[in-house]
Amino acid sequence: MAARATGSPRAPTRRALLAGLAGAALAPATAAAHHGPPLRELAAARGLVYGSSVRIDALEDPAYAALQARESAVLVPSYELKWHPVARRPGVYDFAAPDRLMRFAGRHGAAVRGHTLLWHRSMPAWLDARVSAADMERHIETHAATTVGRYAGRIGSWDVVNEAVSPVDGRPDGLRASLFLAKLGERYIDVAFRAARAADPAAELVYNDFGVEHEGWNPLHPKREKVLELLKRMLDRGVPVDALGVQGHLATRSPFDGDRWLRWLERVRALGLRILVTELDVNDAASPAEITLRDAEVAELYRRFLAATLACRAVTTVVTWGISDRYSWVVDGVEPSHRRADSAKPRPLPFDRDLAPKLAHVSLAAALTDARPR
Ligand code: G3I
């Protein structure tokens, strides 16, 4: 989840933004007819993977399903494969929804990313503070073995642990003061990764987090350093982590320094880890109401972020958190920071509510096309 940025750098001028994008900007009607090759093909041509998260029930929407089938080479369930929805009772699993996604993906030659085994915000109700340390360990092992094991050989990449770093919790190690940590200490992370590796030795195991992309969101809490320190400790302990997932929940008019971002990504790469962008979208709450200018600011941030990110050769994958404004957590307004003062609907994703491509799609397509081949 994204926090609001502090401070607001001088926004690019209207003229600069529109000039920068004018060449590629197409009127929605025109763009819908000619928005070019599928994003999955543009990515594959550079040895990259593009995909998006999906709300499985939204696949009942034929036009949306067709867009996902055309554009996404990987699909990520935004909710239905988390611990809470699949195991509402101890040891009793219901994978009906993820299985539907697997069938849809199979019909359209798409992969599925597993999201996410352990997240403090999707723990089953029965896993509460009364659990003993030994039982917590056993539950984590059972969950990983059951869930990763079910899709072994079919789901090739998992967000094993999500958002374990939270410097604002005040710990010297910067870790989130979750129930997992209270019961097992940092070792809970090791337990999850080792159990996932045992369940599917071929799967890519990812540590996933947010809030590292913009500069100085919490100047007193260097999240980038704490994430890097955690990854180093995990590797030193022999934890089978293959990659870092950077969620990429961005916000217009929040400080972003592409050079500093790339330098940090290269430090992650130097650890021998791959990098995935796992949940990319752009919150436009700070941008003006006028849609042309708002879309241009969103597109410019997609452009700047992806140019810097894809310059790092360890980056393999770009997943947007949703593909259309028709289904987006940002548009749902669950997070107060996503709600615009003018109550206008946010426009965070490459395709609008009518499934027409936006300027953000132009930026995304260009970034994939311009990326150095992997
Ligand atoms: O589908 C059920 C519906 O059947 C039920 O009646 C209703 C009652 O609450 O819930 C519906 O499920 C909701 C689900 O989204 C629908 O997709 C859940 O309540 C709701 O909590 C869930 O929110 C998801 C959230 O994670 C919490 O799991 C969002 O869609 C999803 O976009 C968001 O994604 C997270 C990533 O996993 C981690 N990074 C941050 C990101 C944004 O918070």
Side-chain angles (χ1 to χ4, degrees), residues 90-113:
V92 179
Y93 278 84
D94 176 1
F95 291 108
D99 286 353
R100 278 171 46 212
L101 178 60
M102 294 300 291
R103 290 193 294 273
F104 177 88
R107 287 197 300 273
H108 301 289
V112 172
R113 288 206 70 241

Side-chain angles (χ1 to χ4, degrees), residues 213-269:
E213 302 84 357
H214 283 293
E215 299 299 316
W217 274 5
N218 293 301
L220 304 181
H221 305 294
K223 183 157 183 175
R224 285 181 185 168
E225 290 311 311
K226 294 304 177 187
V227 167
L228 212 54
E229 288 168 15
L230 171 62
L231 292 170
K232 287 175 183 173
R233 291 197 303 273
M234 288 168 67
L235 290 165
D236 289 346
R237 296 196 298 265
V239 174
V241 54
D242 303 308
L244 169 67
V246 291
Q247 292 183 11
H249 293 303
L250 310 178
T252 55
R253 302 195 177 188
S254 294
F256 175 72
D257 181 322
D259 292 337
R260 290 184 64 184
W261 172 242
L262 176 54
R263 284 200 297 272
W264 185 75
L265 292 178
E266 288 297 338
R267 292 173 64 195
V268 175
R269 179 189 182 208

